[in-house]
Amino acid sequence: MEIDHKEYRLRCELRGHEDDVRGICVCGGRDTIATSSRDRTVRVWSLSASDRRKYESARILLGHTSFVGPLAWVPPNDQHPEGGIVSGGMDTLILVWDLRTGEKVQTLRGHQSQVTGVVLDDNGNIVSSSVDCTLRRWRDGRSIESWQAHDGPIQAVIKLPSGELVTGSSDQTLKLWRGKTCAHTFTGHTDTVRGLAVMPDLGILSASHDGSIRLWAVTGQVLMEMVGHSSIVYSVDSHASGLVVSSSEDCSAKIWKDGACVQSLEHPGCVWDAKFLEDGDIVTACSDGVVRIWTTQQDKIADPLDLESFSLQLSAYKLSRKRVGGLKLEDLPGLEALRAPGTSDGQTKVIREGDNGVAYTWNMREQKWDKIGEVVDGPEDTSRPVLDGVQYDYVFDVDIGDGEPIRKLPYNRSDNPYDVADKWLLKENLPLSYRQQIVEFILANSGQKDFTLNSSFRDPYTGANAYIPGEASHVAAKSMKPTFKHIPKKGMLVFDVAQFDGILKKVTEFNGSLLSDQEKKNVGLTDLEVSRLGAIVKVLKDTSHYHTSKFADADIVLLLKMLRSWPSAMIFPVIDIMRMVVLHPDGAATLLKHINDENDIHMEIIKKATVDPSATANLLTSIRAVANLFKSSAYYSWLQKHRSEILDAYSSCSSSSNKNVQLSYSTLVLNYAILLIEKKDQEGQSQVLSAALEIAEESLEVDPKFRALVAIGTLMLDGLVKQIALEFDVESIAKAAKASKEAKIAEVGADIEILIRQR
């Protein structure tokens, strides 16, 4: 359908998601739309029968355990008469949904990190991309092939009309794929390639964190570059009319015609995705949780009341972000700040009055604040920084470490740095031991390396002249290195407390039940075996002799026999004994002799324990047993080899209602972070980061959340996945943690924020 660039206006708003809307899928034309969200749901919207301008919620698809991103439409077929949806999530899963029933019909497991793209190839197979740097092809619910496609996380995948695939990555490139062969690599973007789309009869569109959109010929030639966004561009889409739409962190969706921006659709939040409907209308996904549809067709434009409501939303959002003199308007002090007298004649303050910032100057002679006038934000307002409504030559960010937040230190070149340091330390309630360090910091960062102390200066605390050790005031000060409260984590965490009497009592109870059951008595323990089990526990209790005590090979064989032959519902006390055995040096070594690829009791236990997640006792004891394996370096190779299987098996534990299961799982994740940093395993670190982010975002329990945050911070500081964490929106997770009322959560949140600022 031919359309021109008439002005787009709001058609309707689709409300229902409880968090950021992340993805959009147009299902076959214009009557049905699917959207994904950080709220872990996919929503399906259908055109309203009563008002053809609007859409109504038709289905809510529940199944992901973390935020949902990419979506793909499955056209109607024998399996899905009304079509289907494919969704990918941060939980590493790909789910296939039947739109007729709203039921999940397939769960595809295999990726080790967040799924970033899903598309159907010409044979109806699903192709997925992931932060784990791989592409996977799926058929009938099984992965039939996978390959590493980029050197960095893959952010998007599309299919060309020719059947070839194109991928975009954090390595700043696009790649064209024929099967598993890279036919061409496109270079030119200077940052992550985040979104891709087909431009009919012309080539490929790419959206990048560098703020640009590019149109490429399939040969790799850049045909056009569109620049206009002021921040990250997340998505791009095209229409048969020749129009292009892009969405951005700058809170807009921009419409382009022949390379020029013809309209910008402002939103009250980041715009994560934008897609054209068949008739040229545009659907946008916003961080305020609202899906919006925009139209050029006069008979579809929203009612005046709805337009006014949106205008008010937009105004309120802009007001919350309005800056005056370099500060947010909402951060400026109110009129009450004028009650405090100024400190020098001509001192200025900027005060919030209604929706504006108003400047006042201190009149020393009359001891009052004189109004200067309204401050209009602009480039000239940022020439001198402002703090609490007062302009200064400098406003420094000072990181004093110890998990404390960044402090603002204002300074004018005419001030005495020792005086400023003393008053600032007093105001911030910080120890005077920081004094010389603060002075040197001021001198170095204000360019006053040759500052000469005024001899009339007196220490406000002692009355003495300032003490300057050596020639410190004449030496360039070094920027204060960040110190952290809780990261990096060194050393493994284990579960080393056991109620041995209770464990033996439960084993005896279960053994009695087995012996009284004619069909199962053959797997029960003999008196001799019960006695041997008691001897094992006796060795485990005597921790003071762990360096000399030994286990007989028969001891381990007995435990393995019980784990393999006893009913699943009865093995948790045996797993608990095994959990403690692996903490014993000789126990761990003796057990390891019985582990090989064909005879791996640990993987057997994991599979038994996770086949029924509602069997909490098995789940809890088995996670703790695996976590305790990290105590012995002899198990490091085994743990690294089976990392993907283990984390996948326990992934549902992040949303468990049992806080002990959550804590055990977060401990496992933290231990893996420490191990894989030591092994320099970037692929493994990516999977662990994904798991830790999921816990940090979803868990309401303090201790599991804390350990997950420590894992994130440790991976960002010492690992190889800092950039991946930034692309996972770790900033919002850190911000939420820092605002927590729980001290240790807030402290590790502050640690992560410091790391983010160092990028």
Side-chain angles (χ1 to χ4, degrees):
M1 177 181 177
E2 181 66 20
I3 61 173
D4 58 22
H5 53 265
K6 294 176 184 176
E7 183 181 77
Y8 277 86
R9 299 187 67 190
L10 183 68
R11 171 177 166 179
C12 63
E13 293 185 326
L14 283 53
R15 295 180 176 272
H17 283 298
E18 298 174 358
D19 211 330
D20 299 43
V21 186
R22 296 298 296 262
I24 300 164
C25 177
V26 180
C27 304
R30 60 184 180 183
D31 289 353
T32 305
I33 301 165
T35 55
S36 62
S37 170
R38 188 184 285 273
D39 68 8
R40 299 179 289 179
T41 70
V42 175
R43 284 181 177 259
V44 181
W45 314 83
S46 296
L47 197 60
S48 171
S50 59
D51 186 344
R52 303 296 285 178
R53 294 175 302 174
K54 299 182 178 181
Y55 284 74
E56 298 173 343
S57 179
R59 293 194 181 280
I60 303 175
L61 310 182
L62 301 171
H64 282 285
T65 59
S66 188
F67 76 71
V68 192
L71 301 172
W73 162 241
V74 180
N77 55 34
D78 292 341
Q79 288 180 303
H80 311 295
E82 296 181 17
I85 293 288
V86 182
S87 60
M90 189 175 174
D91 54 12
T92 76
L93 302 179
I94 299 159
L95 304 182
V96 182
W97 309 85
D98 186 327
L99 278 190
R100 182 175 59 86
T101 62
E103 295 297 318
K104 177 179 64 179
V105 293
Q106 287 180 351
T107 299
L108 312 183
R109 302 176 186 271
H111 281 299
Q112 295 167 5
S113 294
Q114 177 186 357
V115 179
T116 54
V118 287
V119 68
L120 268 63
D121 67 15
D122 285 343
N123 297 315
N125 299 319
I126 297 168
V127 179
S128 58
S129 63
S130 169
V131 169
D132 65 15
C133 306
T134 67
L135 287 176
R136 281 183 179 266
R137 198 182 305 269
W138 310 80
R139 182 181 299 153
D140 299 327
R142 295 184 301 106
S143 176
I144 57 173
E145 62 179 354
S146 68
W147 67 98
Q148 181 165 337
H150 283 267
D151 294 331
I154 307 175
Q155 299 291 350
V157 59
I158 59 169
K159 180 182 75 70
L160 300 182
S162 62
E164 297 162 313
L165 300 175
V166 179
T167 52
S169 167
S170 295
D171 65 13
Q172 306 178 10
T173 70
L174 291 75
K175 289 182 183 288
L176 176 68
W177 299 91
R178 295 189 182 117
K180 294 169 65 174
T181 302
C182 178
H184 192 79
T185 299
F186 303 67
T187 59
H189 280 299
T190 58
D191 206 336
T192 294
V193 179
R194 187 62 176 262
L196 298 170
V198 175
M199 187 75 175
D201 302 321
L202 283 176
I204 304 155
L205 288 162
S206 61
S208 171
H209 285 200
D210 64 16
S212 73
I213 301 110
R214 291 189 176 213
L215 173 61
W216 310 76
V218 291
T219 57
Q221 178 188 359
V222 178
L223 303 177
M224 187 182 295
E225 185 173 18
M226 290 162 267
V227 178
H229 283 292
S230 59
S231 189
I232 293 169
V233 188
Y234 287 118
S235 77
V236 64
D237 195 29
S238 70
H239 188 262
S241 64
L243 289 184
V244 171
V245 65
S246 56
S247 68
S248 170
E249 177 77 24
D250 66 10
C251 305
S252 76
K254 291 188 183 295
I255 301 156
W256 309 81
K257 180 75 171 178
D258 299 327
C261 179
V262 295
Q263 190 178 353
S264 185
L265 303 174
E266 294 182 289
H267 285 66
C270 160
V271 187
W272 288 108
D273 198 6
K275 291 282 192 297
F276 280 106
L277 295 177
E278 189 176 60
D279 61 2
D281 283 3
I282 293 171
V283 188
T284 56
C286 186
S287 62
D288 66 352
V290 180
V291 182
R292 294 179 175 87
I293 303 181
W294 309 79
T295 187
T296 60
Q297 302 171 60
Q298 291 297 313
D299 60 340
K300 288 186 177 179
I301 294 173
D303 293 331
L305 282 176
D306 292 333
L307 293 174
E308 183 181 0
S309 173
F310 175 68
S311 179
L312 290 173
Q313 293 174 49
L314 202 55
S315 296
Y317 181 72
K318 286 182 178 179
L319 182 60
S320 72
R321 292 165 58 87
K322 183 175 179 181
R323 303 186 77 84
V324 175
L327 287 180
K328 284 186 179 180
L329 179 66
E330 61 184 14
D331 290 341
L332 292 177
L335 288 169
E336 67 277 0
L338 298 179
R339 295 172 188 165
T343 57
S344 60
D345 195 45
Q347 177 189 352
T348 58
K349 274 191 177 184
V350 182
I351 302 299
R352 184 183 70 252
E353 293 186 14
D355 293 347
N356 299 302
V358 178
Y360 287 81
T361 184
W362 179 246
N363 185 326
M364 183 67 82
R365 186 167 60 84
E366 297 184 16
Q367 290 288 296
K368 68 171 187 173
W369 291 98
D370 292 332
K371 186 173 182 178
I372 301 173
E374 184 178 327
V375 178
V376 180
D377 202 25
E380 67 277 9
D381 294 323
T382 60
S383 59
R384 295 185 76 219
V386 177
L387 182 65
D388 297 330
V390 180
Q391 287 188 324
Y392 294 92
D393 291 336
Y394 305 94
V395 176
F396 300 121
D397 285 340
V398 180
D399 178 11
I400 64 169
D402 297 329
E404 294 287 341
I406 295 293
R407 312 291 181 99
K408 298 290 184 181
L409 191 163
Y411 177 69
N412 289 315
R413 291 179 67 87
S414 59
D415 292 339
N416 186 302
Y418 285 90
D419 193 17
V420 170
D422 289 330
K423 289 179 179 177
W424 184 77
L425 290 169
L426 182 65
K427 173 178 175 288
E428 296 290 341
N429 195 29
L430 295 171
L432 285 175
S433 58
Y434 286 124
R435 182 187 195 225
Q436 187 61 32
Q437 198 175 2
I438 294 297
V439 170
E440 292 178 5
F441 178 84
I442 291 171
L443 294 178
N445 288 282
S446 62
Q448 295 177 283
K449 299 178 183 178
D450 298 321
F451 171 80
T452 302
L453 182 67
N454 185 332
S455 60
S456 65
F457 173 74
R458 292 290 181 272
D459 187 315
Y461 303 97
T462 66
N465 291 96
Y467 166 61
I468 310 176
E471 297 181 357
S473 64
H474 300 282
V475 178
K478 295 181 180 178
S479 179
M480 299 172 73
K481 292 183 179 180
T483 56
F484 302 99
K485 186 82 171 178
H486 296 289
I487 61 173
K489 177 72 178 75
K490 303 291 185 182
M492 306 299 183
L493 296 176
V494 296
F495 296 93
D496 55 3
V497 175
Q499 298 176 345
F500 287 112
D501 293 342
I503 292 171
L504 282 178
K505 183 178 179 182
K506 183 59 69 175
V507 169
T508 302
E509 175 190 325
F510 286 160
N511 191 53
S513 298
L514 292 172
L515 292 175
S516 62
D517 187 326
Q518 290 300 314
E519 294 181 0
K520 297 176 182 177
K521 66 178 182 179
N522 61 310
V523 299
L525 302 182
T526 65
D527 290 343
L528 182 60
E529 288 172 327
V530 170
S531 176
R532 180 173 288 280
L533 198 64
I536 294 171
V537 168
K538 184 177 180 181
V539 171
L540 294 174
K541 280 184 174 182
D542 188 9
T543 56
S544 62
H545 290 89
Y546 267 27
H547 61 295
T548 57
S549 56
K550 302 286 184 183
F551 285 99
D553 199 57
D555 295 336
I556 302 302
V557 170
L558 173 61
L559 293 174
L560 297 181
K561 170 194 167 183
M562 295 171 70
L563 289 168
R564 289 190 170 116
S565 63
W566 278 28
S568 291
M570 296 183 174
I571 61 172
F572 67 86
V574 190
I575 299 174
D576 228 11
I577 295 174
M578 187 73 79
R579 166 177 72 91
M580 300 305 294
V581 166
V582 299
L583 293 180
H584 187 289
D586 185 66
T590 306
L591 177 60
L592 193 57
K593 295 175 185 176
H594 292 265
I595 307 297
N596 55 58
D597 290 341
E598 292 76 32
N599 187 29
D600 191 335
I601 188 60
H602 294 306
M603 290 309 301
E604 289 178 39
I605 291 173
I606 290 169
K607 288 171 184 175
K608 279 187 179 182
T610 56
V611 70
D612 179 11
S614 63
T616 305
N618 282 354
L619 204 58
L620 182 61
T621 52
S622 67
I623 302 176
R624 289 178 170 179
V626 177
N628 282 4
L629 292 176
F630 287 84
K631 177 72 177 295
S632 172
S633 60
Y635 276 96
Y636 284 1
S637 293
W638 183 90
L639 287 162
Q640 191 173 9
K641 176 182 177 182
H642 294 284
R643 174 257 311 159
S644 180
E645 298 168 85
I646 292 169
L647 291 175
D648 283 347
Y650 289 121
S651 60
S652 64
C653 296
S654 64
S655 55
S656 171
S657 58
N658 186 300
K659 66 180 182 182
N660 292 321
V661 170
Q662 282 191 35
L663 178 62
S664 301
Y665 177 58
S666 63
T667 304
L668 175 66
V669 168
L670 178 53
N671 282 351
Y672 257 122
I674 297 165
L675 172 63
L676 298 174
I677 287 170
E678 178 184 319
K679 299 296 183 181
K680 296 181 172 57
D681 181 347
Q682 183 174 18
E683 179 184 317
Q685 289 177 34
S686 295
Q687 185 183 12
V688 172
L689 174 67
S690 181
L693 287 166
E694 188 171 353
I695 301 167
E697 195 167 40
E698 305 297 336
S699 179
L700 300 177
E701 299 293 336
V702 173
D703 290 329
K705 185 185 287 284
F706 174 72
R707 292 188 181 182
L709 288 166
V710 171
I712 293 166
T714 301
L715 285 165
M716 289 178 68
L717 182 62
D718 286 351
L720 305 170
V721 291
K722 181 176 179 180
Q723 185 58 39
I724 296 173
L726 294 172
E727 290 170 2
F728 271 172
D729 197 19
V730 72
E731 191 165 357
S732 64
I733 291 174
K735 184 177 180 181
K738 192 176 172 184
S740 172
K741 294 179 180 178
E742 295 289 340
K744 64 182 182 180
I745 299 289
E747 288 166 356
V748 73
D751 284 351
I752 296 172
E753 278 204 341
I754 293 169
L755 286 172
I756 292 169
R757 283 194 294 271
Q758 291 180 329
R759 55 178 158 175

